[in-house]
Amino acid sequence: MVEYTQHDAPLVDAMKKHIKKRTVRFDVPGHKGGRNDKEYREFVGEKVMTLDVNSMKPLDNLAHPTSVIKDAQVLAAQAFGGHESYFMVSGTTGAVQAMIMSTCKAGDKIIMPRNVHRSAINALVICGAIPVYINPGTNDRLGISLGMSTKEVKQAILDNPDAKAILVNNPTYYGICSHLEEIVKLAHEHDMYVLVDEAHGCHFYFGENMPITAMAAGADMAAISMHKTGGSLTQSSILLSGERINADYVRQVINLTQTTSASYLLMSSLDATRKNLALHGKEIYRKTVELAEYAREEINKIGGYYAYSHELVNGDTVYNFDTTKLSIYTRDIGLTGIEVYDILRDEYNIQIEFGDLGNILAIISAGDRGLEIERLISALKEIKRLYAKDPSGMFDHEYIVPKVVLPPQTAFYAKKKSYVLDEAIGKISGDFVMAYPPGIPVLAAGEEITEEIVQYIRYAKEKGCLLTGTEDMNMEHINVVEM
Ligand SMILES: Cc1ncc(COP(=O)(O)O)c(C=O)c1O
């Protein structure tokens, strides 16, 4: 048995050894190292094609890891402070779904904020668990939803003592954290699992003075987007579990839906990124925070924009704030976030993470330099000068309190009929509607389609949001449940 440390990357090393051997390939993938398509091979690079292999004994198997993948997962669990880690090649979507499906069965209740990512509600469609939603706090000026109030979590627990789990966002897309430790304490006192969507919190595990991590707070499972703020390849993600969770059962659940041909490019990227963050994470995120703080200060000096931070902390629905997030309120200059997002890309060649109806989010990472930050600041200055207009009449909130009538699974699989949006008002939706990103449903299957929701959809479409979720790709029609 080899003794590894965080300086090692066992899966990366096994792959290096394997490609050096130039093994003759009579297995899949059929491109055989990219020999089938010269043009594509030259486009992505020969090395990428060579490294795109399938599982074999020397490289282990993600569905049943016993050697180098297992070792890499042990190192990841140690680095994140988890009891077990599972490499995911189905994004954090797969990790969120695995958390829910490992702890809840059909008919079981799960307490969750309604501003969850679509992956969480989709998991309910798949497994038939029943949501008990908590309306998140909201910030009326910014129009964004916040974290969960611990008072409301406590009430939901008391009202639903049979709930199996509580799901928490740590942090939200905008950088808002709930009081995770208190929620874990309350949940465990009532024998409920705590599942944490940490899609946007990978850096909490490696930076200094960051909000508390799910594992440090004693949560039972956490889904972490290594590919978002960690730096691994898109789609690679990590699931963590604590000691109360049966890891072998989690693996079985993951294998219900995850591919049997896991990408070695993605898995090795997780191994390499874990090593990089374990060795250099403190420095990487120190620099990230420094750049984000500088950008915030300069953007707030422009006037009209509001780049928010710790001042939002209120001890409850904003228990902490992730200062690496450069979230900026834009509505006071008469522009929606999505408009600023589009202008930045089309006119200034700057791609930011997302824009909603009143805010934008720029992801800052150690890959950024002062130069890029200055470009963003000066583009925002110019956008204000050239495009600012009267903000009156703008839609001023992202979160609409849902009217839940049916569980998501019942509604999604019900007999449905398609209606023109306006004619669907008052009926129960059989579809989901969300702007992507951030991918938080404004309407979920089983909820009443209200006039406010239809207005939101029309407004968001007019402003250029990418709306997804309905069967009708143009979102002119929506499926409603036939009662
Ligand atoms: C809060 C949250 N959870 C889960 C996910 C799913 O992550 P992935 O895109 O890796 O599947 C996202 C993606 O944006 C997210 O924002």
Side-chain angles (χ1 to χ4, degrees), residues 54 56-57 86 102 125 137 156 170 205 229-230 248 271-272 274 279 288 329 341 399 478:
N54 207 346
M56 59 186 75
K57 279 192 178 157
Y86 318 78
S102 299
V125 171
N170 191 53
Y205 288 87
T229 57
D248 294 321
D271 195 27
R274 182 272 313 151
L279 301 184
T288 305
Y329 172 70
Y341 168 96
Y399 185 72
I478 190 162

Side-chain angles (χ1 to χ4, degrees), residues 288-300:
T288 305
V289 170
E290 207 175 280
L291 287 172
E293 294 287 20
Y294 170 74
R296 238 187 313 273
E297 240 172 65
E298 292 301 310
I299 290 164
N300 284 334

